[in-house]
Amino acid sequence: MTNIGNMMKQAQQLQKKMSEAQEKLKSIEVEGSSGGGMVKVIVNAKGDIKEIDIDKSLFDPKEKEITEDLVLAAINDAKKRAENVAAEEMKNLTGGISLPPGFKLPF
């Protein structure tokens, strides 16, 4: 019985740490960019887009498709960076044990 009690206590502690880590990920921001910095996107480590900054020189109607491509590239760059930061935070939480690819916490 003692082992089950200890396991439950450890599970509760892990759940609390996971909750705290999820909140921390909301506050960590990373920047993705494209076009040599002409388009910048800020996302938090949860992947939520917080800000988009587009250089005014891209507002030429003839450059519409290029601007759209640059925005998309910046978003994807920021998302990739956010995923890397989140993975590192989760690695810290799990004591350095890497999770399998595609495995996300919480369950």
Side-chain angles (χ1 to χ4, degrees):
M1 284 285 192
T2 305
N3 288 340
I4 293 174
N6 286 339
M7 287 175 54
M8 292 299 291
K9 187 175 182 179
Q10 289 175 342
Q12 288 173 340
Q13 289 173 344
L14 180 59
Q15 185 177 18
K16 181 180 178 189
K17 286 182 180 180
M18 287 300 300
S19 179
E20 290 169 354
Q22 293 294 320
E23 286 302 312
K24 184 176 180 181
L25 292 178
K26 289 180 183 177
S27 67
I28 297 172
E29 293 184 348
V30 295
E31 178 181 295
S33 64
S34 65
M38 294 179 76
V39 176
K40 298 177 187 173
V41 176
I42 306 288
V43 300
N44 66 18
K46 297 271 298 175
D48 300 325
I49 298 171
K50 305 303 273 179
E51 181 181 330
I52 296 176
D53 180 34
I54 302 172
D55 188 277
K56 63 183 176 182
S57 66
L58 293 174
F59 289 109
D60 182 346
K62 293 180 271 182
E63 302 296 328
K64 180 183 181 304
E65 288 182 28
I66 292 172
T67 302
E68 291 169 345
D69 289 343
L70 289 173
V71 170
L72 183 60
I75 289 171
N76 288 331
D77 182 44
K79 184 178 177 186
K80 180 179 175 185
R81 291 171 189 258
E83 288 171 355
N84 290 339
V85 169
E88 190 63 34
E89 287 296 318
M90 289 296 123
K91 186 176 178 182
N92 291 338
L93 177 69
T94 60
I97 299 170
S98 295
L99 298 175
F103 189 83
K104 298 192 183 225
L105 292 174
F107 307 103

